[in-house]
Amino acid sequence: MNRRTWTLVVSALLVAAFGLLGAFVRVPYVALGPGPTYDTLGDVSVDPDAEPEEVISIGEGPETFETGGELRMTTVSVTTELSLFGALGLWGSGRYALAPEEEFYPPDRTPEEVETENREAFETSQSSAESAALRYLGYPTRVSVGQVVAEGPSDGILEPGDEILRVHESETIDDQQVQDALTDTAPGDEVSVVISRDGDERTETIALGSNEDRERGFLGIVPVTEPEADFDIDIELSEVGGPSAGLIFALAIVDKLTEGSLTDDTIIAGTGEISSDGRVGPIGGIQFKMTAAKEEGASIFLVPADNCIEAVPNAPDGLRLVRVETLESAIDSLESLAEGGEAPSCS
């Protein structure tokens, strides 16, 4: 075998070896892309052997109304366990972006722990959406202790289920007001918390602790806002995580409990975390969510105000971006558009 032939053979072997490595060696990245969307006014199949169920169902009690069109919540797909070739192929398609795996699955937490956190965030978004919608519709709310942090400042003083009436002399009707009442406090400060337990009102004095995520005092509880309504709202989506569906859930609840149609028989999509008092917060991956929405036929996309700068240059052609700050502003915009009017834009 002469030198030239030997060189060609070695080169071929190296290419083959690299190809095998590229096909099987895992890289520490995930691929982000458009995920599935769900019509929150429609049905979803939770079991292939069962009949589809409503994504959002309203229990017996209030009058509900027919809705038209679609209100689609959007998601981001996260593809893991990528090979080198697989990662490059997805990135090269222009439909996906690569991100370090540790940003989504930190090395100090197991994948199961991350999935649990995402699921809990999704459940919290459902609760906040229900509270925001019912509060918008005029239903009264109450705020109570959902969890007490073990060995925290309130451990042994407050209990899950306690209704929180006032914190630091501020009346509370939602969980955000509990947090706001501590804005000007510091670790070590003593605050009064007025609660109702088993029908008895009492005042507790609690020395605030510290939390590495914030400078203000830490009460050591997870407050939850509960609408005082005599019916249940059930949201049936089992394979979704994260908090970003809150706005669309709240809109769908309002649409089902009021006459008329917020969608004007069109397909509207959007995203946004929502607080129990109706404030809409920013989310991640909006470019992928807009792509998924457009592919499902959406003509309008509701964008949290703080996501507008990112959304504008990445919006698909023909998708109208409507800027929203609160649940009320989103409803006002949709009603205006249905009547042929204007709505706040991201541009």
Side-chain angles (χ1 to χ4, degrees):
M1 183 180 297
N2 60 38
R3 181 182 296 274
R4 184 173 180 279
T5 302
W6 175 251
T7 300
L8 291 174
V9 169
V10 171
S11 298
L13 290 173
L14 288 173
V15 169
F18 179 74
L20 288 173
L21 288 174
F24 295 105
V25 172
R26 187 168 174 267
V27 293
Y29 288 87
V30 299
L32 308 177
T37 73
Y38 301 90
D39 176 20
T40 56
L41 297 176
D43 298 333
V44 64
S45 297
V46 295
D47 183 341
D49 298 323
E51 291 294 321
E53 299 181 24
E54 288 183 287
V55 174
I56 297 178
S57 57
I58 311 294
E60 294 184 5
E63 183 178 6
T64 57
F65 301 88
E66 290 293 326
T67 60
E70 299 178 8
L71 273 172
R72 287 198 166 269
M73 58 162 284
T74 51
T75 66
V76 175
S77 70
V78 181
T79 305
T80 60
E81 299 185 354
L82 295 172
S83 68
L84 176 60
F85 282 177
L88 291 175
L90 291 174
W91 175 77
S93 71
R95 187 177 172 82
Y96 294 83
L98 300 180
E101 187 177 49
E102 63 183 14
E103 291 184 8
F104 294 84
Y105 297 95
D108 59 342
R109 283 181 289 180
T110 66
E112 291 75 21
E113 290 173 333
V114 172
E115 294 302 325
T116 297
E117 290 175 5
N118 287 336
R119 183 61 193 170
E120 290 174 349
F122 183 69
E123 292 172 353
T124 298
S125 77
Q126 295 180 28
S127 176
S128 296
E130 293 173 21
S131 297
L134 294 180
R135 187 170 175 177
Y136 171 83
L137 294 171
Y139 287 86
T141 60
R142 66 191 292 271
V143 60
S144 62
V145 178
Q147 299 177 30
V148 178
V149 176
E151 301 182 3
S154 298
D155 194 10
I157 303 174
L158 303 182
E159 297 178 0
D162 287 345
E163 182 179 1
I164 305 171
L165 304 177
R166 286 186 296 280
V167 175
H168 206 34
E169 301 182 353
S170 297
E171 290 190 5
T172 57
I173 59 172
D174 63 45
D175 53 284
Q176 186 61 48
Q177 290 176 326
V178 174
Q179 304 296 340
D180 292 345
L182 303 176
T183 298
D184 296 324
T185 64
D189 289 351
E190 291 189 343
V191 300
S192 61
V193 180
V194 182
I195 63 170
S196 176
R197 181 184 297 165
D198 299 326
D200 295 328
E201 186 173 312
R202 63 177 73 184
T203 301
E204 304 287 359
T205 300
I206 300 173
L208 298 176
S210 60
N211 187 312
E212 60 182 13
D213 294 334
R214 64 194 72 175
E215 295 181 0
R216 65 186 180 185
F218 175 58
L219 192 55
I221 63 170
V222 178
V224 294
T225 303
E226 303 169 317
E228 294 187 296
D230 58 355
F231 57 90
D232 294 325
I233 298 174
D234 183 53
I235 298 177
E236 193 63 66
L237 282 176
S238 59
E239 301 299 324
V240 182
S244 64
L247 170 62
I248 301 300
F249 283 150
L251 287 170
I253 293 169
V254 171
D255 205 6
K256 285 174 173 277
L257 290 172
T258 54
E259 285 192 83
S261 171
L262 288 177
T263 65
D264 192 33
D265 294 327
T266 60
I267 300 176
I268 293 171
T271 186
E273 187 172 354
I274 199 166
S275 63
S276 58
D277 62 353
R279 287 179 285 181
V280 177
I283 49 75
I286 193 163
Q287 66 269 40
F288 306 116
K289 295 179 178 182
M290 292 188 299
T291 296
K294 181 63 176 177
E295 291 175 351
E296 290 289 349
S299 57
I300 295 171
F301 194 92
L302 304 178
V303 181
D306 289 341
N307 284 121
C308 274
I309 292 177
E310 177 187 5
V312 170
N314 292 293
D317 291 340
L319 188 65
R320 181 173 186 172
L321 305 186
V322 174
R323 179 178 181 270
V324 296
E325 295 183 351
T326 64
L327 173 61
E328 183 175 6
S329 72
I331 293 171
D332 289 345
S333 292
L334 292 180
E335 289 178 340
S336 175
L337 293 173
E339 295 171 358
E342 296 299 318
S345 172
C346 276
S347 58

